[in-house]
Amino acid sequence: MDLEITLRHFERNMAAKLVLLANNANVSANGRNSFPYPYTISDAHHWVDFCNDKRNINIFNRAVFCNDEFVGGIGVVRQEDIHQNNAEIGYWLGEPYWGRNIMTMAVKQMTGWIFENTSISRLYAGVFATNAASMRVLEKAGYHLEAIHRKAIIKNGHVLDEHLFVKLAH
């Protein structure tokens, strides 16, 4: 079965499904602490409002859809000052959709869109050493391992290495 992956703006009518997918310890375990767990309907409404705030001109957040079903999120945050041509890419996928190549396709789409529609020339992602699946997503999307930052992350009381993956615009 072919998967059709589309990236769309977040909307309020996605809030219940957002909570259903994001309120998951396994999803939360691989994300920043700013990604709340437990994830409530209030968190979902706050997120959707943040994503649609026109003042966030250097933040590009999209909902990931697979065959017209909301399955996760992806975003890019442009850095500032002398790093303004750099941006961090991050993503998450609801656990029922893991292992289906959905996020690899979403990362490829978002990367292409960023390079075609902004002056950003370098995208990077920091991945927990324990998240081999995310490393595979980035590798399949054309990113390469640039560095390993030793003991750079503390998540749930564990100190972890961060693997930094990078893709440059052509």
Side-chain angles (χ1 to χ4, degrees), residues 10 15 17-40 42-44 46-48 50-51 61-64 70-75 90-95 98 103 128 154-156:
F10 279 93
K17 180 78 182 272
L18 179 54
V19 172
L20 182 68
L21 295 176
N23 189 33
N24 179 311
N26 293 327
V27 171
S28 174
N30 291 308
R32 295 219 171 145
N33 291 337
S34 58
F35 189 97
Y37 181 78
Y39 200 100
T40 67
S42 176
D43 295 322
H46 175 76
W47 177 249
V48 172
F50 174 80
C51 291
N61 288 310
R62 299 293 184 269
V64 178
F70 172 61
V71 297
I74 190 166
Y91 46 86
W92 66 273
L93 185 66
E95 189 172 11
W98 291 1
M103 196 48 69
F128 299 2
I154 299 175
K155 180 68 179 187
N156 296 329

Side-chain angles (χ1 to χ4, degrees), residues 1-14:
M1 177 176 139
D2 288 336
L3 300 178
E4 180 186 352
I5 306 304
T6 54
L7 306 180
R8 304 177 190 168
H9 291 279
F10 279 93
E11 297 177 4
R12 276 281 180 132
N13 64 5
M14 297 176 193

Side-chain angles (χ1 to χ4, degrees), residues 127-140 163 165:
V127 182
F128 299 2
T130 53
N131 194 348
S134 188
M135 291 183 211
R136 283 192 304 275
V137 163
L138 291 163
E139 289 168 348
K140 290 190 295 184
H163 292 231
F165 284 82

Side-chain angles (χ1 to χ4, degrees), residues 107-128:
V107 169
K108 286 179 179 180
Q109 278 188 38
M110 187 64 147
T111 300
W113 188 90
I114 290 293
F115 287 156
E116 291 168 15
N117 293 282
T118 74
S119 62
I120 294 168
S121 59
R122 180 178 184 272
L123 285 170
Y124 67 90
V127 182
F128 299 2

Side-chain angles (χ1 to χ4, degrees), residues 154-167:
I154 299 175
K155 180 68 179 187
N156 296 329
H158 299 284
V159 177
L160 304 169
D161 291 348
E162 177 185 45
H163 292 231
L164 186 71
F165 284 82
V166 173
K167 184 166 175 90

